[in-house]
Structure formats: structure tokens, C-alpha cells
Amino acid sequence: MLSNIKFPFFSTDSDEKPPSHQHIKPHKPIQTSYTSVPLDIPPNFLSLVPNVPDARPITFSPLDWSTTPIPEGQGKLAFILENVLSPSECTQLIQYAEASVPLDSPTARGEDGGPWGPALVNIGGGFEILEPSYRRSDRIIWDTKTIADRIWERCLTVEGLRKEIEVIKGRERVKKVTGRGEWHGDNGRGEWVMRRMNERLRFLRYGKGGFFQPHCDSPFYASMDKEQVVKTLFTVHIYLNDCKATAEDPDSTELVGGATTLFSSDEKRRYDVECKAGRVLIFQHSAVLHSGDEVKKGVKFSVRSDVLYEQVMGKGEGEGEERASK
């Protein structure tokens, strides 16, 4: 089990504080870029049909907001998949991610020389800042289309998910998922067709006291060409270890806390999705206020990515949009 693995760059001692990253000053914008070491990933790792003894059948559940403390969320798309990865695959995936970080990367590596650097906050234009009062965790950014494709292919073996998100169409549904007031036809015209999961995987490690304050995720634009709009519409969270609330044997893990919390708009009501190895939480970027709850004990490991869509305009729709944009 992942909870029994001793990771070389972080103690699981519940009294240890997260690294301070003294080589990066808080609140000071720094220009960042991320590269990944090419890795030789075996073709049978994360194969479409799992070939590991601890694999279990994948299950799929759309989130029924009406049964949560946030019933007004009904209509926002959110889904929970179980057993997309097995516990042993989660462990191996972390080890691959650690090996993907270049030795000479100043912002991606921690002050101890290990592969886990500080999780920064993107402020645009290629700049990020360290904001420990807003976000406190470690991160590895691994650009790997191979792994992203394999994980997403597994998710899509569940027909229910493919049916729900492969094409986002219809004026009201498009508005609900993409949000209002954005450019490039996010006003309900045309439809959005799923392409793939973003190859940028953000591995996250939260020690005791780690958290991410409430926020909504923003889309990443892979193309801003007037003739082709490609951007992300959905967030993907992949949990890589169990917490005590979900573990079959609570004594096998130290992790307490660290849930992904979905909030009401006033943050007074909440619904927690707890950490569980192999669980995947998917939800639309637009209007889903959420946080990474504070880790009370132990260490949380997860991966965050998103799903890329291409906008396909119907006949004549693009002309009106172009005129409006001038």
C-alpha cells in the first residue's frame, strides 16, 4: 500500500512542517518554465486493461447535488470514478513523477535538492508567485502525454462518463459548463468536442498543515486562433493515497484531512470528497467553488489535470462572433 512506502524526500512524521522553500521569496513574481526528463515508461504500465493483482473494476457516479448540502449546484457537471488506478500503480506513478524532474531545475526542485518544489500560483504571462497564505503544498509538474492518455483512456472505458462529457452542446448546457461573459462564442452557440486530457500533470504533495484556499479553476487555452478555439473545461483530480476515512484498514495510513471540499457560494455549506487511492474527481471549471482542505496528519498525494475541448461552430455562427469581437 502507498501509505507504507517511505518516500525519500519527505518524512511522513505527522509533526513535521511543510518545507519553507527559502530560496523562493513569498509574494515576489518569478518567471517560470518547466521541463521534464524523458522517461522510458513500460507499455504495460497503466494499460487499458489493468494487469496488476490489486486492480478492481472501475465504477462511475455522477454527483447528485440534490443529495448534498449544496442542492443549488444541480446542473453543474461533476463525477466520481473509483479504482481508475490501483494502489500499486499510484505508488509507481509517484516514483515516475519524482524521476521526471531535471536536476538543474531551480524552481521545480525543493531547497533540499529533492524533486518536490513549491506549488506556486499562476499570475499570467509566464509568471508565478509563492503565496503560502493561499496555497501551501509541494508540486511536481510532469508533461507526459503518454501517461495522461493512458489514464484518460481508462476513465473513458466507463460509458456513462463518455456520454456525459464527450460533446457539450445546446445553448443552456454550453452556458452552464463554459460560463458567461467569455469570448470566442462561450455564449451558447456551437458545441464543444472533447479532445484529450491535458498532458501537463501537476503532482501535489500536502504535508501536515498543507491546504489550498477556496477558488474556482480557470481554463487553459491551448489555441486562441480565431479559426480554432481549444481550451480546458473540466478539472481532473486523481487521488494517490488513502486517508483514514476511506481506508479499508485505517491503521494502514496516517493521512487525516486533505479532502477536496465543494462549497456553496457563501462558503457556509460544504461537501467533502475524501482522498482514496485511485479515485478520480472530475468537475467543470465554471462556478464550482472548491478547496484543498487542510491536512491534519500525514501526507496527501494527488494529481491535477484538465480536459481539452475544441469549439465547433455551426454554419454562419462564426461570422456574427467575428463581427462582435472587432
Side-chain angles (χ1 to χ4, degrees):
M1 295 291 290
L2 182 62
S3 56
N4 294 327
I5 299 295
K6 185 173 180 60
F7 292 93
F9 297 107
F10 193 87
S11 169
T12 56
D13 184 340
S14 61
D15 293 327
E16 182 161 341
K17 300 295 183 182
S20 61
H21 307 301
Q22 294 177 3
H23 63 303
I24 297 178
K25 302 302 181 184
H27 323 304
K28 182 179 179 180
I30 58 172
Q31 192 165 19
T32 56
S33 63
Y34 297 94
T35 58
S36 303
V37 174
L39 299 180
D40 185 15
I41 305 297
N44 62 346
F45 179 63
L46 298 180
S47 56
L48 192 58
V49 178
N51 57 356
V52 289
D54 56 343
R56 294 183 178 180
I58 300 174
T59 62
F60 165 75
S61 301
L63 179 61
D64 183 355
W65 294 86
S66 67
T67 65
T68 75
I70 321 169
E72 67 272 24
Q74 199 71 6
K76 299 175 185 177
L77 298 184
F79 315 95
I80 299 175
L81 287 75
E82 306 286 3
N83 308 315
V84 175
L85 282 72
S86 75
S88 65
E89 289 173 328
C90 291
T91 301
Q92 183 63 66
L93 188 58
I94 293 172
Q95 293 170 350
Y96 281 137
E98 290 182 335
S100 75
V101 183
L103 291 173
D104 60 352
S105 177
T107 57
R109 299 187 76 87
E111 57 193 9
D112 59 356
W116 293 91
L120 306 177
V121 178
N122 185 8
I123 58 174
F127 285 84
E128 296 180 277
I129 55 175
L130 180 63
E131 287 288 350
S133 64
Y134 177 67
R135 181 180 198 181
R136 186 178 301 167
S137 64
D138 302 315
R139 184 175 66 180
I140 290 173
I141 291 183
W142 183 17
D143 291 329
T144 167
K145 189 172 183 299
T146 297
I147 295 297
D149 286 349
R150 292 181 189 181
I151 292 174
W152 194 235
E153 284 172 4
R154 277 202 187 169
C155 290
L156 292 178
T157 60
V158 182
E159 276 301 317
L161 178 64
R162 184 184 291 275
K163 181 179 178 181
E164 289 278 2
I165 71 170
E166 189 166 34
V167 180
I168 306 298
K169 62 182 179 179
R171 186 178 183 85
E172 292 306 314
R173 190 174 179 89
V174 168
K175 283 184 179 180
K176 194 80 171 180
V177 173
T178 64
R180 300 173 185 269
E182 294 188 8
W183 63 298
H184 274 312
D186 290 356
N187 54 6
R189 294 179 296 179
E191 61 186 34
W192 292 85
V193 180
M194 182 185 69
R195 293 306 181 214
R196 59 184 174 86
M197 191 165 87
N198 191 352
E199 66 191 53
R200 173 150 288 189
L201 304 183
R202 300 79 141 185
F203 286 75
L204 300 168
R205 183 183 68 175
Y206 294 80
K208 181 183 178 183
F211 61 86
F212 199 163
Q213 295 280 19
H215 62 283
C216 290
D217 293 334
S218 298
F220 162 74
Y221 283 85
S223 171
M224 296 186 187
D225 191 299
K226 285 186 177 181
E227 302 301 321
Q228 181 192 42
V229 183
V230 180
K231 72 172 186 176
T232 61
L233 295 181
F234 288 86
T235 297
V236 180
H237 278 296
I238 305 163
Y239 303 94
L240 299 180
N241 61 330
D242 293 342
C243 65
K244 285 188 178 292
T246 62
E248 294 182 7
D249 176 11
D251 292 334
S252 68
T253 179
E254 291 185 347
L255 177 58
V256 177
T260 300
T261 299
L262 310 180
F263 285 102
S264 59
S265 59
D266 59 7
E267 299 182 27
K268 293 182 178 179
R269 288 170 287 124
R270 56 186 287 164
Y271 177 77
D272 290 342
V273 179
E274 300 283 0
C275 305
K276 184 174 180 59
R279 172 175 286 171
V280 177
L281 170 64
I282 302 170
F283 55 84
Q284 66 184 59
H285 292 330
S286 177
V288 177
L289 183 64
H290 63 284
S291 73
D293 208 18
E294 182 180 353
V295 170
K296 303 296 186 181
K297 184 178 181 181
V299 183
K300 167 190 173 181
F301 290 91
S302 63
V303 184
R304 186 228 190 268
S305 189
D306 24 42
V307 187
L308 283 161
Y309 282 74
E310 181 177 358
Q311 187 182 32
V312 179
M313 300 297 291
K315 184 177 181 181
E317 291 178 309
E319 295 178 1
E321 179 189 344
E322 185 174 351
R323 283 196 300 270
S325 67
K326 290 182 178 179

Short mmCIF file of all heavy atoms in Angstrom, two decimals, residues 141-184:
data_model
loop_
_atom_site.label_atom_id
_atom_site.label_comp_id
_atom_site.label_asym_id
_atom_site.label_seq_id
_atom_site.Cartn_x
_atom_site.Cartn_y
_atom_site.Cartn_z
N ILE A 141 5.63 19.21 -11.72
CA ILE A 141 4.93 19.33 -12.99
C ILE A 141 5.60 18.41 -13.99
O ILE A 141 6.78 18.56 -14.30
CB ILE A 141 4.93 20.79 -13.49
CG1 ILE A 141 4.05 21.64 -12.56
CG2 ILE A 141 4.43 20.87 -14.93
CD1 ILE A 141 3.92 23.08 -12.99
N TRP A 142 4.84 17.45 -14.48
CA TRP A 142 5.36 16.45 -15.41
C TRP A 142 4.52 16.51 -16.68
O TRP A 142 3.35 16.21 -16.68
CB TRP A 142 5.29 15.06 -14.77
CG TRP A 142 5.87 13.96 -15.62
CD1 TRP A 142 6.70 14.07 -16.68
CD2 TRP A 142 5.65 12.55 -15.43
NE1 TRP A 142 7.03 12.83 -17.19
CE2 TRP A 142 6.40 11.87 -16.43
CE3 TRP A 142 4.91 11.80 -14.53
CZ2 TRP A 142 6.40 10.48 -16.55
CZ3 TRP A 142 4.92 10.41 -14.64
CH2 TRP A 142 5.67 9.77 -15.64
N ASP A 143 5.13 16.94 -17.77
CA ASP A 143 4.47 16.96 -19.07
C ASP A 143 4.66 15.60 -19.72
O ASP A 143 5.76 15.26 -20.19
CB ASP A 143 5.05 18.06 -19.96
CG ASP A 143 4.69 19.45 -19.46
OD1 ASP A 143 3.61 19.60 -18.86
OD2 ASP A 143 5.50 20.38 -19.65
N THR A 144 3.60 14.81 -19.76
CA THR A 144 3.69 13.45 -20.29
C THR A 144 2.37 13.05 -20.95
O THR A 144 1.41 12.68 -20.26
CB THR A 144 4.07 12.43 -19.20
OG1 THR A 144 3.85 11.10 -19.69
CG2 THR A 144 3.25 12.63 -17.92
N LYS A 145 2.32 13.16 -22.25
CA LYS A 145 1.11 12.78 -22.98
C LYS A 145 0.85 11.28 -22.85
O LYS A 145 -0.30 10.84 -22.82
CB LYS A 145 1.24 13.17 -24.45
CG LYS A 145 -0.04 13.01 -25.26
CD LYS A 145 0.10 13.59 -26.65
CE LYS A 145 -1.22 13.50 -27.41
NZ LYS A 145 -1.69 12.13 -27.59
N THR A 146 1.92 10.50 -22.75
CA THR A 146 1.77 9.05 -22.63
C THR A 146 0.94 8.68 -21.41
O THR A 146 -0.05 7.94 -21.49
CB THR A 146 3.14 8.36 -22.55
OG1 THR A 146 3.86 8.60 -23.75
CG2 THR A 146 3.00 6.86 -22.33
N ILE A 147 1.32 9.21 -20.25
CA ILE A 147 0.61 8.88 -19.02
C ILE A 147 -0.78 9.50 -19.02
O ILE A 147 -1.76 8.87 -18.62
CB ILE A 147 1.42 9.35 -17.79
CG1 ILE A 147 2.73 8.56 -17.69
CG2 ILE A 147 0.60 9.18 -16.52
CD1 ILE A 147 2.57 7.07 -17.48
N ALA A 148 -0.89 10.77 -19.45
CA ALA A 148 -2.20 11.43 -19.49
C ALA A 148 -3.18 10.64 -20.36
O ALA A 148 -4.33 10.43 -19.98
CB ALA A 148 -2.06 12.85 -20.00
N ASP A 149 -2.72 10.21 -21.53
CA ASP A 149 -3.60 9.46 -22.44
C ASP A 149 -4.03 8.13 -21.82
O ASP A 149 -5.20 7.72 -21.93
CB ASP A 149 -2.90 9.19 -23.76
CG ASP A 149 -2.81 10.43 -24.65
OD1 ASP A 149 -3.47 11.44 -24.32
OD2 ASP A 149 -2.08 10.39 -25.66
N ARG A 150 -3.11 7.45 -21.16
CA ARG A 150 -3.45 6.14 -20.58
C ARG A 150 -4.46 6.28 -19.45
O ARG A 150 -5.40 5.49 -19.33
CB ARG A 150 -2.18 5.43 -20.10
CG ARG A 150 -1.25 5.00 -21.23
CD ARG A 150 -0.02 4.27 -20.70
NE ARG A 150 0.96 4.06 -21.76
CZ ARG A 150 2.13 3.44 -21.59
NH1 ARG A 150 2.46 2.97 -20.39
NH2 ARG A 150 2.97 3.29 -22.60
N ILE A 151 -4.28 7.28 -18.60
CA ILE A 151 -5.24 7.49 -17.52
C ILE A 151 -6.61 7.86 -18.08
O ILE A 151 -7.65 7.34 -17.65
CB ILE A 151 -4.74 8.58 -16.56
CG1 ILE A 151 -3.49 8.11 -15.80
CG2 ILE A 151 -5.84 8.97 -15.57
CD1 ILE A 151 -2.84 9.17 -14.94
N TRP A 152 -6.63 8.75 -19.07
CA TRP A 152 -7.90 9.20 -19.63
C TRP A 152 -8.61 8.09 -20.38
O TRP A 152 -9.84 7.98 -20.33
CB TRP A 152 -7.67 10.41 -20.52
CG TRP A 152 -8.93 11.15 -20.86
CD1 TRP A 152 -9.39 11.45 -22.11
CD2 TRP A 152 -9.88 11.69 -19.95
NE1 TRP A 152 -10.57 12.13 -22.02
CE2 TRP A 152 -10.90 12.30 -20.71
CE3 TRP A 152 -9.97 11.71 -18.55
CZ2 TRP A 152 -12.00 12.93 -20.12
CZ3 TRP A 152 -11.07 12.34 -17.96
CH2 TRP A 152 -12.07 12.93 -18.75
N GLU A 153 -7.85 7.25 -21.06
CA GLU A 153 -8.47 6.10 -21.74
C GLU A 153 -9.17 5.19 -20.75
O GLU A 153 -10.25 4.66 -21.01
CB GLU A 153 -7.41 5.33 -22.53
CG GLU A 153 -6.98 6.02 -23.82
CD GLU A 153 -5.80 5.35 -24.48
OE1 GLU A 153 -5.36 4.29 -23.97
OE2 GLU A 153 -5.31 5.87 -25.50
N ARG A 154 -8.55 5.01 -19.60
CA ARG A 154 -9.20 4.20 -18.56
C ARG A 154 -10.49 4.86 -18.08
O ARG A 154 -11.51 4.19 -17.91
CB ARG A 154 -8.26 3.99 -17.38
CG ARG A 154 -7.29 2.85 -17.58
CD ARG A 154 -6.79 2.37 -16.24
NE ARG A 154 -5.72 1.40 -16.39
CZ ARG A 154 -4.98 0.98 -15.38
NH1 ARG A 154 -5.18 1.45 -14.17
NH2 ARG A 154 -4.04 0.08 -15.58
N CYS A 155 -10.43 6.15 -17.84
CA CYS A 155 -11.64 6.85 -17.40
C CYS A 155 -12.77 6.68 -18.41
O CYS A 155 -13.94 6.46 -18.03
CB CYS A 155 -11.34 8.33 -17.20
SG CYS A 155 -10.28 8.73 -15.79
N LEU A 156 -12.44 6.75 -19.68
CA LEU A 156 -13.46 6.71 -20.72
C LEU A 156 -13.97 5.29 -21.01
O LEU A 156 -14.88 5.13 -21.83
CB LEU A 156 -12.92 7.34 -22.01
CG LEU A 156 -12.69 8.86 -21.94
CD1 LEU A 156 -12.13 9.36 -23.25
CD2 LEU A 156 -13.97 9.61 -21.57
N THR A 157 -13.39 4.28 -20.38
CA THR A 157 -13.97 2.94 -20.52
C THR A 157 -15.34 2.88 -19.85
O THR A 157 -16.13 1.99 -20.14
CB THR A 157 -13.06 1.86 -19.90
OG1 THR A 157 -12.86 2.13 -18.50
CG2 THR A 157 -11.71 1.80 -20.60
N VAL A 158 -15.61 3.85 -19.00
CA VAL A 158 -16.93 3.94 -18.37
C VAL A 158 -17.83 4.73 -19.31
O VAL A 158 -17.66 5.94 -19.48
CB VAL A 158 -16.83 4.64 -17.00
CG1 VAL A 158 -18.20 4.69 -16.33
CG2 VAL A 158 -15.83 3.93 -16.12
N GLU A 159 -18.77 4.05 -19.93
CA GLU A 159 -19.60 4.70 -20.95
C GLU A 159 -20.38 5.87 -20.39
O GLU A 159 -20.64 6.84 -21.09
CB GLU A 159 -20.55 3.68 -21.57
CG GLU A 159 -19.94 2.87 -22.70
CD GLU A 159 -19.45 3.74 -23.86
OE1 GLU A 159 -20.17 4.69 -24.25
OE2 GLU A 159 -18.34 3.50 -24.35
N GLY A 160 -20.76 5.81 -19.14
CA GLY A 160 -21.52 6.91 -18.55
C GLY A 160 -20.77 8.22 -18.62
O GLY A 160 -21.35 9.27 -18.91
N LEU A 161 -19.46 8.19 -18.39
CA LEU A 161 -18.67 9.42 -18.44
C LEU A 161 -18.58 9.94 -19.86
O LEU A 161 -18.78 11.13 -20.12
CB LEU A 161 -17.27 9.17 -17.88
CG LEU A 161 -16.33 10.37 -17.93
CD1 LEU A 161 -16.85 11.50 -17.05
CD2 LEU A 161 -14.92 9.98 -17.50
N ARG A 162 -18.25 9.06 -20.79
CA ARG A 162 -18.13 9.49 -22.19
C ARG A 162 -19.43 10.14 -22.68
O ARG A 162 -19.42 11.18 -23.33
CB ARG A 162 -17.78 8.30 -23.08
CG ARG A 162 -17.55 8.67 -24.53
CD ARG A 162 -17.29 7.45 -25.39
NE ARG A 162 -16.00 6.84 -25.09
CZ ARG A 162 -14.85 7.23 -25.63
NH1 ARG A 162 -14.83 8.24 -26.48
NH2 ARG A 162 -13.74 6.60 -25.34
N LYS A 163 -20.55 9.53 -22.34
CA LYS A 163 -21.84 10.06 -22.78
C LYS A 163 -22.09 11.45 -22.22
O LYS A 163 -22.63 12.32 -22.90
CB LYS A 163 -22.96 9.11 -22.34
CG LYS A 163 -24.35 9.55 -22.75
CD LYS A 163 -25.40 8.55 -22.30
CE LYS A 163 -26.80 9.01 -22.68
NZ LYS A 163 -27.84 8.04 -22.20
N GLU A 164 -21.66 11.68 -20.98
CA GLU A 164 -21.92 12.96 -20.32
C GLU A 164 -21.05 14.09 -20.85
O GLU A 164 -21.50 15.25 -20.92
CB GLU A 164 -21.71 12.82 -18.81
CG GLU A 164 -22.77 11.99 -18.10
CD GLU A 164 -24.02 12.79 -17.80
OE1 GLU A 164 -24.08 13.99 -18.18
OE2 GLU A 164 -24.94 12.23 -17.19
N ILE A 165 -19.79 13.81 -21.20
CA ILE A 165 -18.87 14.92 -21.44
C ILE A 165 -18.20 14.92 -22.81
O ILE A 165 -17.45 15.84 -23.13
CB ILE A 165 -17.78 14.98 -20.36
CG1 ILE A 165 -16.79 13.82 -20.51
CG2 ILE A 165 -18.37 15.00 -18.97
CD1 ILE A 165 -15.57 13.97 -19.61
N GLU A 166 -18.47 13.93 -23.66
CA GLU A 166 -17.77 13.88 -24.95
C GLU A 166 -18.11 15.09 -25.81
O GLU A 166 -17.24 15.66 -26.47
CB GLU A 166 -18.10 12.59 -25.70
CG GLU A 166 -17.24 12.40 -26.93
CD GLU A 166 -17.32 11.00 -27.48
OE1 GLU A 166 -18.40 10.37 -27.41
OE2 GLU A 166 -16.30 10.50 -27.99
N VAL A 167 -19.37 15.50 -25.81
CA VAL A 167 -19.79 16.69 -26.55
C VAL A 167 -20.67 17.54 -25.64
O VAL A 167 -21.64 17.04 -25.06
CB VAL A 167 -20.58 16.32 -27.83
CG1 VAL A 167 -21.00 17.58 -28.57
CG2 VAL A 167 -19.74 15.42 -28.74
N ILE A 168 -20.30 18.81 -25.50
CA ILE A 168 -21.12 19.75 -24.73
C ILE A 168 -21.85 20.62 -25.73
O ILE A 168 -21.25 21.41 -26.45
CB ILE A 168 -20.25 20.63 -23.80
CG1 ILE A 168 -19.35 19.75 -22.91
CG2 ILE A 168 -21.13 21.54 -22.96
CD1 ILE A 168 -20.09 18.82 -21.98
N LYS A 169 -23.16 20.46 -25.81
CA LYS A 169 -23.92 21.18 -26.82
C LYS A 169 -25.28 21.59 -26.26
O LYS A 169 -25.72 21.11 -25.21
CB LYS A 169 -24.10 20.34 -28.08
CG LYS A 169 -24.87 19.04 -27.87
CD LYS A 169 -24.96 18.26 -29.18
CE LYS A 169 -25.70 16.95 -28.98
NZ LYS A 169 -25.80 16.20 -30.25
N GLY A 170 -25.96 22.45 -27.01
CA GLY A 170 -27.21 23.02 -26.54
C GLY A 170 -26.93 24.31 -25.79
O GLY A 170 -26.06 24.36 -24.92
N ARG A 171 -27.67 25.36 -26.13
CA ARG A 171 -27.36 26.70 -25.64
C ARG A 171 -27.23 26.75 -24.11
O ARG A 171 -26.24 27.25 -23.57
CB ARG A 171 -28.43 27.67 -26.11
CG ARG A 171 -28.12 29.12 -25.77
CD ARG A 171 -29.21 30.06 -26.30
NE ARG A 171 -28.88 31.44 -26.05
CZ ARG A 171 -28.11 32.19 -26.82
NH1 ARG A 171 -27.58 31.67 -27.91
NH2 ARG A 171 -27.86 33.45 -26.52
N GLU A 172 -28.20 26.22 -23.38
CA GLU A 172 -28.19 26.31 -21.92
C GLU A 172 -27.08 25.47 -21.31
O GLU A 172 -26.43 25.89 -20.35
CB GLU A 172 -29.55 25.92 -21.35
CG GLU A 172 -30.66 26.91 -21.67
CD GLU A 172 -30.30 28.33 -21.26
OE1 GLU A 172 -29.81 28.51 -20.12
OE2 GLU A 172 -30.49 29.25 -22.08
N ARG A 173 -26.86 24.29 -21.87
CA ARG A 173 -25.81 23.42 -21.32
C ARG A 173 -24.43 24.03 -21.56
O ARG A 173 -23.56 24.00 -20.68
CB ARG A 173 -25.89 22.03 -21.94
CG ARG A 173 -24.99 20.99 -21.26
CD ARG A 173 -25.26 19.63 -21.87
NE ARG A 173 -24.44 18.58 -21.30
CZ ARG A 173 -24.75 17.86 -20.23
NH1 ARG A 173 -25.88 18.12 -19.58
NH2 ARG A 173 -23.97 16.90 -19.79
N VAL A 174 -24.21 24.59 -22.75
CA VAL A 174 -22.93 25.23 -23.04
C VAL A 174 -22.70 26.40 -22.10
O VAL A 174 -21.60 26.58 -21.55
CB VAL A 174 -22.87 25.69 -24.52
CG1 VAL A 174 -21.68 26.60 -24.75
CG2 VAL A 174 -22.79 24.47 -25.44
N LYS A 175 -23.73 27.22 -21.87
CA LYS A 175 -23.59 28.34 -20.95
C LYS A 175 -23.25 27.85 -19.55
O LYS A 175 -22.41 28.43 -18.85
CB LYS A 175 -24.89 29.15 -20.90
CG LYS A 175 -25.12 30.07 -22.08
CD LYS A 175 -26.39 30.86 -21.86
CE LYS A 175 -26.64 31.83 -23.01
NZ LYS A 175 -27.88 32.61 -22.79
N LYS A 176 -23.90 26.78 -19.13
CA LYS A 176 -23.70 26.26 -17.77
C LYS A 176 -22.27 25.77 -17.58
O LYS A 176 -21.65 25.99 -16.54
CB LYS A 176 -24.68 25.11 -17.52
CG LYS A 176 -24.81 24.71 -16.06
CD LYS A 176 -25.72 25.65 -15.31
CE LYS A 176 -26.05 25.16 -13.93
NZ LYS A 176 -26.93 26.08 -13.19
N VAL A 177 -21.74 25.10 -18.59
CA VAL A 177 -20.41 24.48 -18.45
C VAL A 177 -19.29 25.48 -18.71
O VAL A 177 -18.28 25.47 -18.01
CB VAL A 177 -20.29 23.27 -19.39
CG1 VAL A 177 -18.86 22.73 -19.39
CG2 VAL A 177 -21.25 22.17 -18.95
N THR A 178 -19.45 26.33 -19.72
CA THR A 178 -18.34 27.21 -20.10
C THR A 178 -18.36 28.53 -19.35
O THR A 178 -17.35 29.23 -19.29
CB THR A 178 -18.36 27.51 -21.61
OG1 THR A 178 -19.56 28.23 -21.94
CG2 THR A 178 -18.28 26.24 -22.42
N GLY A 179 -19.48 28.91 -18.79
CA GLY A 179 -19.58 30.18 -18.09
C GLY A 179 -20.04 31.28 -19.01
O GLY A 179 -20.04 31.15 -20.24
N ARG A 180 -20.43 32.40 -18.45
CA ARG A 180 -20.96 33.53 -19.23
C ARG A 180 -19.92 34.62 -19.34
O ARG A 180 -19.04 34.76 -18.51
CB ARG A 180 -22.21 34.09 -18.55
CG ARG A 180 -23.34 33.07 -18.43
CD ARG A 180 -24.47 33.64 -17.61
NE ARG A 180 -25.50 32.63 -17.38
CZ ARG A 180 -26.55 32.45 -18.16
NH1 ARG A 180 -26.71 33.21 -19.22
NH2 ARG A 180 -27.45 31.52 -17.88
N GLY A 181 -20.04 35.43 -20.37
CA GLY A 181 -19.24 36.63 -20.48
C GLY A 181 -17.84 36.41 -21.04
O GLY A 181 -17.06 37.35 -21.10
N GLU A 182 -17.51 35.17 -21.44
CA GLU A 182 -16.19 34.95 -22.01
C GLU A 182 -16.26 35.10 -23.52
O GLU A 182 -17.33 35.08 -24.13
CB GLU A 182 -15.68 33.55 -21.65
CG GLU A 182 -15.42 33.40 -20.16
CD GLU A 182 -14.73 32.09 -19.84
OE1 GLU A 182 -14.32 31.40 -20.79
OE2 GLU A 182 -14.60 31.79 -18.66
N TRP A 183 -15.10 35.26 -24.13
CA TRP A 183 -15.05 35.48 -25.58
C TRP A 183 -15.06 34.15 -26.33
O TRP A 183 -15.15 33.09 -25.76
CB TRP A 183 -13.80 36.28 -25.94
CG TRP A 183 -12.51 35.57 -25.62
CD1 TRP A 183 -12.06 35.17 -24.41
CD2 TRP A 183 -11.50 35.18 -26.55
NE1 TRP A 183 -10.84 34.56 -24.50
CE2 TRP A 183 -10.47 34.55 -25.80
CE3 TRP A 183 -11.37 35.29 -27.94
CZ2 TRP A 183 -9.32 34.05 -26.42
CZ3 TRP A 183 -10.22 34.79 -28.53
CH2 TRP A 183 -9.22 34.18 -27.76
N HIS A 184 -14.99 34.24 -27.63
CA HIS A 184 -14.92 33.07 -28.52
C HIS A 184 -16.15 32.18 -28.41
O HIS A 184 -16.05 30.97 -28.33
CB HIS A 184 -13.67 32.24 -28.25
CG HIS A 184 -12.47 32.74 -29.00
ND1 HIS A 184 -12.48 33.05 -30.33
CD2 HIS A 184 -11.21 32.99 -28.57
CE1 HIS A 184 -11.29 33.46 -30.71
NE2 HIS A 184 -10.50 33.45 -29.66
#
